[in-house]
Amino acid sequence: MNHDFKAGSENEIVSLFERIFRPDLIPSDLLIGIGDDAAAFEPGVDPDTKIVITADMLVENIHFKTGVHGMYDIGWRTAVANLSDIAAMGAIPRWGVVTLAVNENFLVRDFELLGEGLRDAMVEHGAYIIGGDLTRSNSGIVISMTLFGETTHRLLDRKGAKRGDVIAVTGYLGGSSAGLELLKNPSATVPEEIRLSVTNMHLRPEPRVLAGQILAGNDGIHSAMDISDGLGIDIGRICDSSGVGCRIFEEHLPIKDEVLKTALALERDPLDFINGGEDFELLFTGTRPAVEYVAHALSEFPSQPPISIIGDILDPALGRHFARIDGTILDPSKFGWDHFRK
């Protein structure tokens, strides 16, 4: 198949995806994979196994731009958006199905790069693409993924935050949004090493799968979600679900120097990046000893992110506060990405 030309048939693309997504060693609980009318797998043999399902859709010119994002990037970020949701529940990601709509100008090489990005992000966490659907689009690219996860332990959700909990996050905030701004502004005056570092934060986010499982294994952790739409709007969702208030301190937010320097170069408030979304870090609440224990446990793994305590959960009557370094108090839930907010 010539990679420089448009796909000749749907069967050719299905065959291509069969090669890309076929695990070297087929897991024993996968019964039927790509190439049939449907995929089939056996759930965990433990009777206490819980199945978790999530879905995310990415639409061209809303979630990505083909002049800014490569096909591999789009595949990687599609997988991570789903993996991060499974991680936030404390589950283990397993099986994914993908639906893809593309226009007639899509090349075989585009399919290949997109598939490789999906595969590489998934297999890193022991998860696999096992099916999906392919169709023609008369406009832009649309890619949707449904991912199944499982666990024999308790599940984390947004409803459990308690008054007196501390609020914490994994990793660093604002990098994805800052990286997107640099990708959209190639003439921005920033040192090349900063540009490469920050754009990579956007193009190659890492889902916190192991961190989610450690959080779920500690009864002192009471609520969790991933930061997909921005810190402010997402802490607001925990408050809404749990019926609590909150207080976050800007001075405690983990922000890399490269992101601060990017904000300075672009004459932007770093808070814009914090609330820009798609950091895919975990936002969670729990007792201080539990959070400190999780931080210590993760520190035993060199590849795992640090944990930062950024605030605390309040009585709902006290409201929601984001305390800026300059003394300004904002309602954090008013900031973030909302597809339907005017």
Side-chain angles (χ1 to χ4, degrees), residues 234-273:
D234 286 334
I235 190 61
R237 288 166 174 158
I238 286 180
C239 290
D240 287 339
S241 297
S242 301
V244 295
C246 69
R247 177 175 53 186
I248 292 175
F249 301 94
E250 182 181 16
E251 63 197 76
H252 295 160
L253 297 182
I255 310 172
K256 288 196 169 183
D257 287 343
E258 299 98 311
V259 174
L260 294 173
K261 290 175 180 176
T262 298
L264 184 63
L266 297 176
E267 299 182 336
R268 295 284 297 277
D269 185 338
L271 188 59
D272 293 342
F273 297 149

Side-chain angles (χ1 to χ4, degrees), residues 174-183 185 188-199 201 255-270 273:
S176 180
S177 183
L180 179 59
E181 286 302 308
L182 286 180
L183 287 168
N185 294 279
T189 305
V190 295
E192 188 61 20
E193 65 272 16
I194 289 180
R195 179 181 295 277
L196 290 173
S197 174
V198 176
T199 55
M201 295 175 197
I255 310 172
K256 288 196 169 183
D257 287 343
E258 299 98 311
V259 174
L260 294 173
K261 290 175 180 176
T262 298
L264 184 63
L266 297 176
E267 299 182 336
R268 295 284 297 277
D269 185 338
F273 297 149

Side-chain angles (χ1 to χ4, degrees), residues 247-323:
R247 177 175 53 186
I248 292 175
F249 301 94
E250 182 181 16
E251 63 197 76
H252 295 160
L253 297 182
I255 310 172
K256 288 196 169 183
D257 287 343
E258 299 98 311
V259 174
L260 294 173
K261 290 175 180 176
T262 298
L264 184 63
L266 297 176
E267 299 182 336
R268 295 284 297 277
D269 185 338
L271 188 59
D272 293 342
F273 297 149
I274 296 297
N275 288 311
E278 296 189 329
D279 281 318
F280 299 119
E281 297 292 351
L282 299 183
L283 170 66
F284 58 98
T285 76
T287 66
R288 183 174 289 273
V291 172
E292 290 175 346
Y293 175 85
V294 169
H296 175 72
L298 280 177
S299 71
E300 299 294 313
F301 299 89
S303 63
Q304 292 303 301
I307 299 293
S308 301
I309 293 175
I310 63 172
D312 49 10
I313 294 295
L314 307 175
D315 186 281
L318 296 177
R320 305 171 187 181
H321 309 280
F322 181 87

Side-chain angles (χ1 to χ4, degrees), residues 199-214:
T199 55
N200 192 61
M201 295 175 197
H202 175 74
L203 297 174
R204 297 289 183 275
E206 289 288 345
R208 302 308 187 184
V209 174
L210 177 60
Q213 292 168 45
I214 292 176

Side-chain angles (χ1 to χ4, degrees), residues 13 30 178 242:
I13 299 305
L30 178 63
S242 301

Side-chain angles (χ1 to χ4, degrees), residues 1 6-18 34-36 100 102 108 111 132-136:
M1 188 186 296
K6 300 170 189 175
S9 72
E10 184 174 339
N11 285 342
E12 288 180 315
I13 299 305
V14 172
S15 296
L16 175 66
F17 282 170
E18 281 188 286
I34 294 174
D36 219 303
L100 179 63
V102 300
V108 172
F111 282 110
D133 192 26
L134 178 67
T135 190
R136 174 71 60 83

